[in-house]
Amino acid sequence: MKLLTLGLFIVILNNSFGQDNSTGVFMTMKPSKNSNDFAKTISTRDNSKQNMVVVPLKPIISGDELTKVSEIINDPSHNSTYFYLSFSNEGIEKLRDITTKVEGVQLVLVVNNTVIGYIKTMSELVNKSIQINGPTNSPDVLWAHKSLKQLMDAR
């Protein structure tokens, strides 16, 4: 009996840790009193109430469909720091379908349960990539880059 219990415990742990739904592209939802079973509330790194959004528990595009993080680029002439995040072919197709077929959709890029930014249109995609940017040496951009790089390096 102990062997069976241990086996079930290992299966449950593998399933809960193996299915990381905290990074990816999510579609925002309107807050609801009864949404706790299928949605979660997340915010930006500053945990500002005004930057909180409600998203489904599972992303539309999972972290597995994020394929590459470029090096960080500092652009002093525009006072910005940025990097590019690339998607798999399947991820790009999902993005294209959603942004062209669902009117008024608001998509957020989430890393480790933290909103990094919004994806509004397909025109923001260049060569299967989106640009993550902010002011020069933005702590949020640097954190997002480090977190995404760690995610991809761990594969």
Side-chain angles (χ1 to χ4, degrees):
M1 186 64 169
K2 286 184 181 182
L3 186 58
L4 178 61
T5 305
L6 181 60
L8 278 172
F9 183 67
I10 290 170
V11 168
I12 290 168
L13 278 177
N14 274 342
N15 285 340
S16 62
F17 290 120
Q19 297 175 351
D20 181 17
N21 293 325
S22 65
T23 298
V25 176
F26 291 78
M27 188 178 336
T28 63
M29 305 167 53
K30 291 188 180 189
S32 166
K33 291 180 184 178
N34 302 323
S35 64
N36 290 342
D37 292 338
F38 58 87
K40 60 185 173 182
T41 302
I42 55 176
S43 71
T44 55
R45 284 187 60 216
D46 65 2
N47 293 315
S48 166
K49 296 236 186 249
Q50 65 198 32
N51 293 325
M52 296 183 101
V53 295
V54 177
V55 298
L57 294 176
K58 291 189 177 189
I60 294 169
I61 298 171
S62 73
D64 291 337
E65 294 176 78
L66 306 176
T67 59
K68 184 180 174 190
V69 179
S70 75
E71 293 302 315
I72 288 185
I73 300 163
N74 288 306
D75 184 355
S77 64
H78 291 99
N79 190 30
S80 67
T81 296
Y82 61 92
F83 66 92
Y84 291 96
L85 174 63
S86 298
F87 292 84
S88 67
N89 289 335
E90 186 177 318
I92 289 294
E93 286 305 312
K94 286 180 187 177
L95 261 180
R96 186 171 286 119
D97 283 349
I98 291 164
T99 57
T100 57
K101 294 178 181 172
V102 182
E103 192 171 317
V105 68
Q106 187 168 37
L107 301 174
V108 289
L109 173 62
V110 175
V111 177
N112 295 334
N113 276 329
T114 302
V115 175
I116 295 303
Y118 295 86
I119 302 171
K120 296 179 180 92
T121 64
M122 282 301 288
S123 64
E124 294 179 19
L125 288 164
V126 178
N127 297 327
K128 299 182 192 176
S129 299
I130 58 172
Q131 186 183 80
I132 312 295
N133 59 22
T136 300
N137 294 321
S138 163
D140 292 329
V141 173
L142 298 174
W143 177 85
H145 183 267
K146 179 181 176 184
S147 298
L148 287 164
K149 191 93 167 129
Q150 287 174 343
L151 173 81
M152 301 208 190
D153 289 348
R155 291 184 193 161

